[in-house]
Amino acid sequence: MVERKSTQAELEQAARRHLWLPFTQMREVEEDPPLIIAEAQGCYLRDLQGREYLDGVSSLWVTIHGHRKQAIDLAVLDQIQKAAHTTLLGLAHPPAILLAEKLAALAPPGLTRVFYSDDGSTAVEVALKMAFQYWQQSASGGATRSKTRFVAFRHAYHGDTLGAVSVGGIDLFHRLYRPLTFEAFRAEAPYCYRCPLGKTYPACGIACLGSLEEILSQHHGEIAAVIIEPLVQAAAGMITAPPGFLKGVRDLCNRHQVLLIVDEVATGFGRTGKLFACEHEGVTPNLMAVAKGLTGGYLPLAATLTTEEIYRAFLGEHREAKTFFHGHSYTGNPLACAAALANLRVFEEERTLESLQEKIDYLRQMLEEFRKLRHVGDIRQCGFIVGIELVRDRETREPYPWEERIGGRVCREAFHHGLFLRPLGDVIVLMPPLGIRPHELTRLIDIAYRAIQKVTEGIPCPSLPDRQAGGRRG
Ligand SMILES: *Cc1c(COP(=O)(O)O)cnc(C)c1O
């Protein structure tokens, strides 16, 4: 059967009529249909007309080495000739087995068991349910049954399913759904910039640990686990935690016999400069959720890693019903596992993390320039994760009114110059694929700088040399 080739107008029409996009006010899409991406290669996205855009946010934080990475393409093609999908409910297949082995080898020591799911949210759901069930079934009998609650940090984001929303702390996304969710304890976040305690870093970090300590010392008997985004609260606006914070959280959990769930969905697979953010502080969590970068940005796949100790609490006779009753139809999909294995092989073969260090330093140097811009209130960087916060007044740190959509306008401007960005409110996010080349990184920074300058200071943005489709890449 030959696919009907649709024109751009037809596709836009159909998009207006039938698409419902995530985190998007659809009235605006009805008036102004979305850009339609037909192809992607390396760090570039290409639309139907062949115009190219640098992918400045790794297609929402997932792409690792770049688009159409040959080794991953081939791994998926190879697997598709064997089987596109077979279930893990009662069966196994080589890619799932080999990937579990590989992840256990690469993860912080002690995380030996790998449970698959499909995306970051489900990996978090799995971690929450495992932590809960662990205490219900752990060897000490009934003594730990009361450990049923969770501690989450203010401004946290762990995904959009209801368990993940329960431990989420971003009002704009989560408040409406509160009647549907369970209540979690809220610890103060490592929020260095606009600290709710009115303190600045590093005093803030210490105060925040104090908030967690208070909760744990009073309520540890009812708490199953603490959940944290390590080093960076991503969706909150790339809020970086002070050094030692994660380690401090680990120590407090140990002291109060509470499990630690680390959500590495955004930070995993090299974004922070190490394979996992936990490595920066030598922390092993009891449970770790990974997703976004796991397949290099190819296919939806997630995993929740845990220890033998937790795993063993689920072993028992059939009649005891200690089984972990959880699994999705596509859990551990072979194509996705094959992509993930290839993704991890590229890390080794191309020494991705080694060459990344230089790029991280280069990025840091170039970001210094942004401090000259009048409306840049803060620049936060953790490896290849960057948040540039725009403010109306730098002295008072007065934010722009929400209605002004300053972040959105900057991204729109960048877009006209060939750079795709998606902001978090007034925070401009830069999260390029790790495989970006230095000259592409320069271009990305250049466009972002000019776009901020144009929108916030009204300084016209001289057009940059165009990068036409089919132009030389490299
Ligand atoms: C994106 C994200 C999630 C949710 O992942 P999805 O794949 O979008 O469900 C969870 N936690 C963190 C830290 C994230 O950044």
Side-chain angles (χ1 to χ4, degrees), residues 23-24 28 37 84 91 103 144 170 185 192 205 226-227 230 256 276 294 307 352 369 404 424:
F23 283 93
T24 301
E28 290 160 18
I37 296 301
L91 300 174
L103 286 172
T144 58
I170 299 181
F185 291 102
C192 309
V226 172
I227 182 164
H256 295 286
F276 298 110
L294 173 57
T307 60
T352 304
E369 286 292 305
E404 275 196 36
L424 291 161

Coordinates of all heavy atoms in Angstrom, one line a residue, residues 23-24 28 37 84 91 103 144 170 185 192 205 226-227 230 256 276 294 307 352 369 404 424:
F23 N 0.7 19.8 27.2 CA 1.1 21.1 27.7 C 0.9 22.2 26.7 O 1.8 23.1 26.6 CB 2.6 21.0 28.2 CG 2.7 20.3 29.5 CD1 3.0 18.9 29.5 CD2 2.6 20.9 30.7 CE1 3.2 18.2 30.7 CE2 2.8 20.3 31.9 CZ 3.1 18.9 31.9
T24 N -0.2 22.2 26.0 CA -0.4 23.2 25.0 C -1.8 23.8 25.0 O -2.8 23.0 25.1 CB -0.1 22.6 23.6 OG1 1.2 22.0 23.6 CG2 -0.3 23.5 22.5
E28 N -4.6 28.3 20.7 CA -3.5 28.9 19.9 C -3.1 28.1 18.8 O -2.7 28.6 17.7 CB -2.4 29.2 20.9 CG -2.7 30.3 21.9 CD -1.8 30.3 23.1 OE1 -0.8 29.8 23.1 OE2 -2.3 30.9 24.1
I37 N 7.5 18.8 11.8 CA 8.9 18.3 11.5 C 8.8 17.0 10.7 O 8.2 16.1 11.1 CB 9.6 18.1 12.9 CG1 9.8 19.4 13.6 CG2 11.0 17.4 12.6 CD1 10.6 20.5 12.9
A84 N 9.4 -7.2 16.9 CA 9.1 -5.8 17.3 C 8.7 -5.8 18.7 O 9.0 -4.9 19.5 CB 8.1 -5.2 16.4
L91 N 7.6 -14.2 29.8 CA 8.7 -14.4 28.9 C 9.8 -13.4 29.1 O 9.6 -12.5 29.8 CB 8.1 -14.3 27.4 CG 7.0 -15.3 27.0 CD1 6.6 -14.9 25.6 CD2 7.5 -16.7 27.0
L103 N 22.7 -2.0 32.6 CA 22.3 -0.9 33.6 C 22.8 -1.2 35.0 O 23.3 -0.3 35.7 CB 20.7 -0.7 33.6 CG 20.1 -0.1 32.3 CD1 18.6 -0.1 32.4 CD2 20.6 1.4 32.2
T144 N 6.6 -2.2 60.3 CA 6.8 -1.2 59.4 C 5.6 -0.9 58.5 O 5.7 -0.1 57.6 CB 8.0 -1.6 58.4 OG1 7.7 -2.8 57.8 CG2 9.3 -1.7 59.2
I170 N 4.5 21.6 41.6 CA 4.4 22.7 40.8 C 2.9 23.1 40.7 O 2.2 22.4 40.0 CB 5.1 22.5 39.4 CG1 6.5 22.2 39.5 CG2 4.9 23.7 38.5 CD1 7.3 21.9 38.3
F185 N 4.2 14.6 52.4 CA 4.9 15.7 53.1 C 5.7 16.5 52.2 O 6.3 16.0 51.2 CB 5.9 15.1 54.2 CG 5.2 14.4 55.3 CD1 5.1 13.0 55.3 CD2 4.7 15.1 56.4 CE1 4.5 12.3 56.4 CE2 4.0 14.4 57.4 CZ 4.0 13.0 57.4
C192 N 17.9 27.9 45.2 CA 18.9 28.9 45.6 C 18.6 30.3 45.2 O 19.1 31.2 45.8 CB 20.2 28.5 44.9 SG 20.6 26.8 45.1
G205 N 20.5 26.0 51.1 CA 20.6 24.6 51.1 C 20.6 24.0 52.5 O 19.9 23.0 52.7
V226 N 11.6 9.1 50.6 CA 11.8 10.5 50.2 C 12.1 10.4 48.7 O 12.8 9.6 48.2 CB 13.0 11.2 50.9 CG1 13.3 12.5 50.2 CG2 12.8 11.3 52.3
I227 N 11.4 11.3 47.9 CA 11.7 11.3 46.4 C 12.3 12.6 46.1 O 11.9 13.7 46.5 CB 10.5 10.9 45.6 CG1 10.9 10.9 44.1 CG2 9.3 11.9 45.9 CD1 9.8 10.2 43.2
P230 N 17.8 14.6 41.6 CA 19.1 14.8 42.1 C 19.8 16.0 41.4 O 19.7 16.1 40.2 CB 19.9 13.5 41.8 CG 19.1 13.0 40.6 CD 17.7 13.4 40.8
H256 N 17.0 7.9 59.5 CA 15.7 7.8 59.9 C 15.0 6.6 59.3 O 13.7 6.4 59.4 CB 14.9 9.0 59.6 CG 15.3 10.2 60.4 ND1 15.1 10.4 61.8 CD2 16.1 11.3 60.1 CE1 15.6 11.5 62.2 NE2 16.3 12.1 61.2
F276 N 25.2 9.3 35.7 CA 24.0 9.6 36.5 C 24.4 10.7 37.5 O 25.5 10.8 38.0 CB 23.6 8.3 37.3 CG 23.1 7.2 36.4 CD1 23.9 6.1 36.2 CD2 22.0 7.4 35.6 CE1 23.5 5.1 35.3 CE2 21.6 6.4 34.8 CZ 22.3 5.2 34.6
L294 N 17.4 7.2 28.1 CA 17.7 5.8 28.1 C 17.9 5.2 26.7 O 18.9 4.5 26.5 CB 16.7 5.1 28.9 CG 16.7 3.5 29.0 CD1 18.1 3.0 29.5 CD2 15.6 3.0 29.8
T307 N 17.6 -2.4 44.7 CA 18.6 -3.2 45.4 C 18.1 -4.6 45.6 O 16.9 -4.9 45.5 CB 18.9 -2.7 46.8 OG1 17.7 -2.6 47.6 CG2 19.5 -1.2 46.7
T352 N 31.8 9.5 25.0 CA 31.0 10.7 25.0 C 31.2 11.6 26.2 O 31.3 12.8 26.1 CB 29.5 10.2 25.0 OG1 29.3 9.4 23.9 CG2 28.5 11.4 24.9
E369 N 28.7 35.6 29.2 CA 28.2 36.7 28.4 C 26.8 37.2 28.7 O 26.5 38.4 28.7 CB 28.3 36.4 26.9 CG 29.7 36.3 26.3 CD 30.3 37.7 26.3 OE1 29.7 38.6 25.7 OE2 31.4 37.8 26.8
E404 N 2.8 38.3 30.3 CA 3.7 38.8 29.2 C 4.4 37.7 28.5 O 5.0 37.9 27.4 CB 4.8 39.7 29.9 CG 4.3 41.1 30.0 CD 5.4 42.2 30.2 OE1 6.5 42.0 29.6 OE2 5.1 43.1 31.0
L424 N 10.6 27.2 30.3 CA 9.8 26.8 31.5 C 9.4 28.2 32.1 O 10.2 28.8 32.8 CB 10.7 26.0 32.5 CG 11.0 24.6 32.0 CD1 12.2 24.1 32.8 CD2 9.8 23.6 32.2

